Amino acid sequence: MKRIIIMLIVCSIVSTAMAQKVSAIGKQKNYPVSVQQQLKHMIDKFGTNEGQVYSVIKNPNTGLVEMSQRISKFSCSQDNPNLKSVTTFFMQDEPYSYQIQHITPGSRERFSIKVVSDTGQPSSTLHIRTSTAQEMWLMCAKNPENPQLRDAYAIVWELSKDEQKAVGTIYMITSLRPDIYEKAAETSKKTFKIEGRVDANIKDSLYNIYIANSAQELANIGDDDYVACVPVINKRFEWQTELDHPVAGRLRCIFPDGELCSAWINLDFVPGETYRITVHNGYYDEDRDYERRVGRYSGKSLLNSRQIAGNDDVSIVAEEDTVAVDSPTNWEPSPALKMQLEVKGKAMWAKMESVKALYRSLDPKNSVSWMRKDLIFVRITKQNKEVDAAFHDILKFLKDIVIPVDERAEILGKGYEEILKFYTEQNKGLTEMMSSGVQLPKSAKKTQKALNKYIEKYMTEMTKLIE
């Protein structure tokens, strides 16, 4: 009896498994299964290890595939039956696809597939057919699990020089259907989006969003006239809206106790653009690229030539080359500006100290080898380049804020004096070493050549400043 029961259980399991298998096949009856299986078979039998790509991205919540790629190169004889049957399988499964394409050798047509994830984020563009000598078959079908995805199967190959072998690549791609992301792209032309982060040390919990058609209208807007109230979750906040034209916008924080912050941030809200911002205690990191392209420094801004936030600690200043800005006398930078300048200054100072340390390592007492000297001068040249970049970052920062003309000239003048002194002292030291008969590698001459360029450049800039 026990034996009969066990057999019944086994039969039940087998029957269920077979039913599931039949059901799965039934679900795929309108799917290009033959093409799928044939390409897998060719990868398994003729695929090479070189240049293989296999990647799968799944939704962490649902476990469903959002995007996948399997790319494999293959090589087989030109008269291989599997290769010859490719045409048969593609034509056989043609009714189950919504796109099929065959390009024969000699055609000048190239072909690419754009791979986009289920979230709509571009991943890459795969160049499938790149040569007139290649033959290509492509088939696209709806993914059976997610109708928003498309499964693309492609095989492309060409004959070797002796025409004995076929060498090619097989592509099995799952990605967002083109008609969906192209439609989304049309919508995105009107979408303005803010992607915000909040410093870990501040407790901002909500942000009110205000919109006005002009800077003047924005200046007169009421505290309760916000269009959205966006929560801060895990120190991040996001908001988007559809716009037909640029508008003046404002971000204003609400603290955990419900109090509306006395300061705010004014921005240009532009259709088709995303503003990325990080808010700190008393200041924020602006999206400099955005501001230069379409914002305060682009000449297209709707904000006034001087549009200041609710207090001096979060001053939002728009400066235009064509507008003369009256600035107060006895100008003093805000605490936020002082902090940013200090951070940039320390970064530059650290790079300058690194250069000085490298020169100290060249002391004759250290018995430095010729090869070691060569490496040291290569590093000095590289570090000097980084100092130059750090100084330009400070200049750029100073030019982006409103400073009285006299104060600006004095601050920039002192900066140029310091950087010129730094490069000139190096140049002088190298000249003395060379004139004293000390043998130096070619890299030392390259270092001095670079120093002379920096000195000439900054002398020219300083002269223009004085003029």
Side-chain angles (χ1 to χ4, degrees):
M1 178 65 71
K2 184 188 256 185
R3 198 168 169 189
I4 293 172
I5 292 172
I6 293 172
M7 287 180 67
L8 287 172
I9 292 172
V10 170
C11 288
S12 174
I13 293 171
V14 171
S15 298
T16 303
M18 286 300 293
Q20 288 175 347
K21 189 173 182 181
V22 170
S23 174
I25 293 171
K27 286 180 182 178
Q28 289 196 336
K29 66 181 180 180
N30 293 323
Y31 191 78
V33 177
S34 299
V35 167
Q36 180 192 50
Q37 291 178 346
Q38 177 65 8
L39 294 184
K40 283 183 177 179
H41 174 71
M42 290 190 67
I43 290 174
D44 293 339
K45 197 163 186 179
F46 308 111
T48 61
N49 292 326
E50 180 188 358
Q52 285 198 38
V53 174
Y54 184 79
S55 67
V56 179
I57 298 175
K58 293 184 178 181
N59 185 298
N61 297 316
T62 64
L64 294 176
V65 172
E66 291 184 347
M67 182 173 68
S68 70
Q69 297 183 59
R70 186 178 185 184
I71 304 171
S72 181
K73 294 185 180 300
F74 72 90
S75 175
C76 63
S77 63
Q78 59 89 20
D79 57 353
N80 186 282
N82 290 277
L83 185 63
K84 288 185 174 296
S85 65
V86 164
T87 298
T88 302
F89 284 116
F90 269 85
M91 293 305 296
Q92 178 181 308
D93 281 357
E94 187 270 336
Y96 312 133
S97 68
Y98 67 80
Q99 181 183 0
I100 187 169
Q101 191 156 358
H102 181 211
I103 304 176
T104 58
S107 170
R108 295 181 178 276
E109 186 176 354
R110 302 292 193 267
F111 194 87
S112 300
I113 292 179
K114 191 172 182 180
V115 182
V116 180
S117 77
D118 189 26
T119 60
Q121 296 299 314
S123 173
S124 60
T125 298
L126 299 176
H127 301 288
I128 307 296
R129 187 177 190 264
T130 58
S131 166
T132 58
Q134 294 173 329
E135 182 166 358
M136 184 199 85
W137 274 98
L138 167 88
M139 177 173 286
C140 294
K142 282 187 180 181
N143 181 277
E145 292 184 355
N146 185 350
Q148 289 194 315
L149 301 180
R150 65 116 182 248
D151 292 340
Y153 299 103
I155 179 171
V156 58
W157 73 93
E158 62 183 295
L159 299 181
S160 58
K161 289 182 179 179
D162 59 6
E163 298 190 355
Q164 296 301 308
K165 279 194 171 184
V167 180
T169 309
I170 293 171
Y171 300 84
M172 304 177 77
I173 310 296
T174 297
S175 68
L176 193 65
R177 278 176 23 216
D179 57 312
I180 294 177
Y181 65 71
E182 285 169 3
K183 184 178 179 181
E186 290 176 8
T187 304
S188 68
K189 291 178 182 178
K190 289 188 175 183
T191 303
F192 168 75
K193 186 176 182 180
I194 293 174
E195 293 180 357
R197 296 188 179 192
V198 176
D199 194 302
N201 298 320
I202 61 177
K203 299 179 180 180
D204 296 1
S205 59
L206 296 166
Y207 278 90
N208 279 352
I209 309 289
Y210 301 82
I211 289 180
N213 286 316
S214 67
Q216 184 177 0
E217 185 181 322
L218 186 66
N220 297 322
I221 206 164
D223 291 350
D224 297 327
D225 294 333
Y226 55 88
V227 297
C229 187
V230 184
V232 177
I233 302 173
N234 295 327
K235 299 298 180 181
R236 295 174 183 267
F237 62 95
E238 285 191 5
W239 176 76
Q240 68 181 44
T241 188
E242 301 296 310
L243 298 173
D244 292 322
H245 56 82
V247 296
R250 174 176 293 172
L251 298 178
R252 195 169 183 183
C253 168
I254 300 177
F255 298 120
D257 61 3
E259 181 185 354
L260 189 62
C261 182
S262 59
W264 55 77
I265 300 171
N266 290 346
L267 303 171
D268 288 281
F269 290 4
V270 181
E273 297 287 345
T274 298
Y275 197 101
R276 296 173 177 85
I277 185 171
T278 301
V279 182
H280 301 281
N281 188 13
Y283 69 102
Y284 73 97
D285 294 335
E286 68 180 3
D287 191 330
R288 192 65 62 88
D289 176 65
Y290 181 102
E291 296 289 9
R292 291 194 180 284
R293 285 188 298 102
V294 295
R296 300 197 312 274
Y297 315 130
S298 67
K300 307 171 187 176
S301 177
L302 292 176
L303 301 177
N304 293 336
S305 59
R306 187 169 185 181
Q307 182 67 36
I308 304 178
N311 64 30
D312 289 337
D313 287 344
V314 199
S315 295
I316 316 304
V317 183
E319 182 183 1
E320 300 174 11
D321 295 337
T322 57
V323 179
V325 180
D326 293 328
S327 302
T329 55
N330 301 319
W331 177 82
E332 187 70 24
S334 69
L337 289 179
K338 283 182 179 178
M339 185 186 297
Q340 287 175 285
L341 278 169
E342 185 178 345
V343 169
K344 293 179 182 294
K346 284 182 178 178
M348 179 177 165
W349 177 84
K351 296 179 188 299
M352 293 170 78
E353 285 299 306
S354 177
V355 172
K356 292 175 184 177
L358 288 169
Y359 277 110
R360 286 195 294 271
S361 69
L362 288 167
D363 192 314
K365 296 177 183 177
N366 297 332
S367 302
V368 185
S369 68
W370 186 267
M371 185 178 294
R372 178 66 179 161
K373 282 182 182 179
D374 183 57
L375 290 173
I376 289 172
F377 277 109
V378 169
R379 289 183 61 190
I380 288 173
T381 302
K382 184 179 178 182
Q383 282 295 110
N384 275 327
K385 187 176 181 180
E386 291 184 8
V387 171
D388 174 61
F391 183 67
H392 267 280
D393 183 49
I394 293 174
L395 290 178
K396 188 178 176 184
F397 177 77
L398 289 171
K399 289 174 183 177
D400 286 342
I401 59 178
V402 171
I403 305 175
V405 177
D406 292 342
E407 294 280 358
R408 182 190 293 276
E410 184 179 351
I411 293 171
L412 294 178
K414 287 180 180 178
Y416 281 123
E417 285 178 10
E418 288 299 318
I419 196 74
L420 278 168
K421 181 181 176 183
F422 174 70
Y423 286 131
T424 302
E425 285 181 352
Q426 289 185 65
N427 194 31
K428 182 181 177 183
L430 277 173
T431 302
E432 289 176 354
M433 289 174 71
M434 291 174 181
S435 61
S436 66
V438 176
Q439 295 295 315
L440 296 175
K442 287 183 178 180
S443 54
K445 292 181 180 178
K446 289 182 179 179
T447 298
Q448 189 168 45
K449 185 177 179 181
L451 288 170
N452 285 324
K453 286 185 177 180
Y454 293 135
I455 293 168
E456 183 180 351
K457 178 178 71 171
Y458 286 123
M459 284 293 292
T460 303
E461 290 182 15
M462 191 173 183
T463 302
K464 288 181 180 178
L465 180 69
I466 296 171
E467 292 173 350

